[in-house]
Amino acid sequence: MTNNQIHTNKCSFGAYEVLRTNKKIHLTILASGSEVNLAIETSHKLANNQIYCKVISVPCQNIFDMQSSSYKQKILNETKIKISIEAASTDCWKKYVGNDGFTFGIDEFGKSAPYKEIYKHFGLTAINIANKSKKLLGK
């Protein structure tokens, strides 16, 4: 690394692109924390069906909300359809996915089991999310 190379701390924007499966994409997937890995896995499953995505990691919604409108447009408005993946309440994601999108998450309380069983119970699996996303896209 040379002294003139500058590295941007992408987390400082509150949301940033971590994966893109094609230059032209059909779907934006928003996630945070460990769910980003599930979003990446889902995007690979969709790419196998020629449905291309970008995965956006959203480590801090409050910081993202303070970004310029042009940055938020770049993150959110490249595709009409957006989904979010959250192993908790989906309420905070609805403002990003809009009326055409879908929030995958857990909007009830009281289940207890190993996380993989909970994820499966609530449909937080790459195959389920990919299949529902295909339907959202009309594919």
Side-chain angles (χ1 to χ4, degrees):
M1 185 166 85
T2 63
N3 289 337
N4 60 1
Q5 287 179 313
I6 298 172
H7 293 278
T8 303
N9 175 1
K10 293 181 180 179
C11 285
S12 69
F13 294 109
Y16 59 97
E17 186 175 314
V18 293
L19 175 78
R20 174 179 285 264
T21 55
N22 197 15
K23 186 174 180 173
K24 183 175 179 353
I25 58 168
H26 308 97
L27 179 68
T28 299
I29 305 174
L30 303 156
S32 65
S34 60
E35 289 87 329
V36 173
N37 190 51
L38 180 56
I40 290 169
E41 191 180 337
T42 300
S43 71
H44 290 308
K45 288 201 177 307
L46 288 166
N48 289 336
N49 292 289
Q50 288 75 50
I51 299 170
Y52 302 107
C53 310
K54 71 177 177 182
V55 174
I56 303 296
S57 175
V58 188
C60 185
Q61 291 183 9
N62 290 339
I63 293 173
F64 177 60
D65 291 343
M66 292 188 295
Q67 297 308 308
S68 68
S69 59
S70 63
Y71 184 76
K72 290 188 278 192
Q73 294 283 332
K74 177 183 161 195
I75 294 289
L76 295 173
N77 291 340
E78 188 173 354
T79 62
K80 180 181 180 197
I81 305 294
K82 294 169 275 296
I83 65 167
S84 65
I85 304 172
E86 176 71 59
S89 172
T90 62
D91 289 344
C92 62
W93 294 100
K94 292 181 174 147
K95 64 184 174 183
Y96 301 125
V97 302
N99 294 330
D100 296 318
F102 192 82
T103 55
F104 293 90
I106 302 172
D107 288 316
E108 60 184 73
F109 182 75
K111 298 281 185 232
S112 180
Y115 87 92
K116 286 186 179 180
E117 290 177 34
I118 292 289
Y119 273 37
K120 189 172 183 183
H121 174 82
F122 287 106
L124 293 174
T125 63
I127 192 75
N128 179 62
I129 296 168
N131 287 337
K132 286 195 173 171
S133 295
K134 284 187 222 174
K135 288 179 184 164
L136 268 178
L137 293 162
K139 306 222 182 231

